């Protein structure tokens, strides 16, 4: 299975720099051995999708509402993202779980909405530093998976230890491998054969300098990249480290 390298641009970028970054990524993407996705802010998503139309780079949203439409000021539905050119959406990112109090039950409803609209859901899970230090990381991630995924889940999981996001710190390679094996087992138990096919991304301070080692680990199906995805050359260097 080809690895997926996804860039989460978060709340960064105006139109001109977003289009410039998208063009730079698209120019190199045909030489890469992986699938590439960029997730720009919603304000520039349609323009970025237009710029990337006909290229191998896909576009995703960073969140969607669980409802298809209605009185939800400031929110976007999955169908709106699709209409703007997205083919995927990040859901349950730890910043949304923390900043917006999103529960796994809400994430599950959003995942169902995304799937109904034909978007590929990328569901983020990961333990906090306190949970890790308490020896609870596997239990926390398993419960997030149990509660965030509908029974017919088909999408991507991103394992993102909260304490590794934007900090420059990463788990050991052994820890990443162990957690990915645990996630794979949970997906297989829950979803049967389908669960054995899903990509499990690693996210949290992935950089050009550590990408090759992380992407070579068993069950690592790609990376979700935050900060380093804002510099096209760094994002492309990470994508170039994806080998299968
Ligand atoms: C993220 O927020 O999804 C992320 C992985 O961020 P960073 O790469 O900056 O740690």
């Amino acid at each position: 299975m080809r690895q997926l390298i996804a860039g989460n641009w978060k709340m960064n970028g105006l139109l001109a720099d977003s289009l410039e970054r998208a063009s730079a990524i698209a120019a190199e993407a045909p030489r890469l051995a992986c699938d590439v996705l960029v997730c720009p802010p919603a304000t520039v998503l349609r323009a970025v999708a237009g710029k990337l139309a006909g290229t191998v780079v896909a576009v995703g949203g960073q969140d969607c509402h669980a409802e298809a439409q209605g009185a939800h000021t400031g929110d976007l539905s999955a169908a709106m993202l699709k209409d703007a050119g997205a083919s995927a959406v990040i859901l349950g990112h730890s910043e949304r779980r923390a900043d917006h109090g999103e529960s796994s039950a809400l994430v599950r409803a959003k995942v169902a909405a995304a799937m109904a609209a034909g978007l590929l859901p990328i569901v983020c899970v990961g333990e906090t530093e306190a949970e890790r230090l308490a020896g609870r990381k596997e239990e926390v991630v398993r419960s997030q998976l149990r509660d965030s995924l509908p029974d017919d889940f088909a999408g991507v999981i991103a394992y993102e230890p909260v304490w590794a996001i934007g900090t420059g710190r990463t788990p050991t390679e052994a820890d990443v491998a162990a957690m990915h094996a645990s996630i794979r087992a949970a997906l297989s138990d829950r979803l049967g054969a389908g669960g054995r096919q899903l990509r499990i991304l690693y996210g949290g301070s992935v950089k050009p300098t550590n990408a090759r080692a992380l992407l070579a680990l068993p069950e690592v199906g790609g990376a979700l990249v935050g900060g380093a995805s804002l510099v096209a050359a760094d994002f492309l260097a990470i994508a170039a480290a994806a080998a299968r």
Side-chain angles (χ1 to χ4, degrees):
M1 192 190 314
R2 276 163 74 90
Q3 291 189 315
L4 169 65
I5 306 298
N8 175 11
W9 294 359
K10 308 195 186 186
M11 195 175 73
N12 295 290
L14 302 180
L15 184 61
D17 55 291
S18 297
L19 292 178
E20 195 179 320
R21 187 183 307 123
S23 295
I25 293 167
E28 289 301 317
R31 283 183 273 283
L32 298 169
C34 60
D35 294 334
V36 179
L37 172 75
V38 295
C39 299
T43 48
V44 300
L45 194 150
R46 184 183 292 278
V48 168
K51 178 65 82 179
L52 294 174
T55 77
V56 296
V57 182
V59 178
Q62 298 178 10
D63 177 51
C64 71
H65 198 276
E67 304 278 329
Q69 61 194 38
H72 302 291
T73 303
D75 281 313
L76 296 171
S77 72
M80 290 172 180
L81 292 176
K82 182 113 198 269
D83 185 56
S87 58
V89 60
I90 298 169
L91 294 170
H93 191 282
S94 62
E95 287 155 12
R96 293 209 59 89
R97 291 181 189 261
D99 297 353
H100 299 269
E102 292 194 2
S103 65
S104 289
L106 178 61
V107 174
R108 178 185 175 124
K110 291 183 175 201
V111 173
M115 288 173 58
L119 292 179
L120 178 78
I122 301 174
V123 180
C124 302
V125 296
E127 80 286 357
T128 63
E129 175 114 74
E131 289 163 343
R132 179 176 77 108
L133 293 173
R136 297 183 50 230
K137 63 179 190 239
E138 295 212 353
E139 166 203 334
V140 166
V141 167
R142 279 190 169 244
S143 91
Q144 288 173 336
L145 288 170
R146 187 188 60 234
D147 298 340
S148 303
L149 304 185
D151 291 337
D152 61 348
F153 179 71
V156 174
I157 301 297
Y159 169 55
E160 299 207 303
V162 179
W163 53 272
I165 293 178
T167 60
R169 298 164 60 207
T170 56
T172 65
E173 290 169 23
D175 280 352
V176 173
M179 183 60 87
H180 279 241
S182 168
I183 291 172
R184 175 67 69 208
L187 292 175
S188 299
D189 286 353
R190 173 86 180 276
L191 304 166
R196 289 191 275 281
Q197 306 299 323
L198 303 183
R199 284 190 280 209
I200 307 168
L201 312 185
Y202 169 77
S205 295
V206 177
K207 309 260 182 274
T209 46
N210 61 17
R212 190 165 300 280
L214 288 164
L215 289 167
L217 294 170
E219 299 292 5
V220 173
L224 180 54
V225 185
S229 74
L230 295 174
V231 177
D234 288 352
F235 183 66
L236 288 164
I238 291 167
R244 58 183 195 274

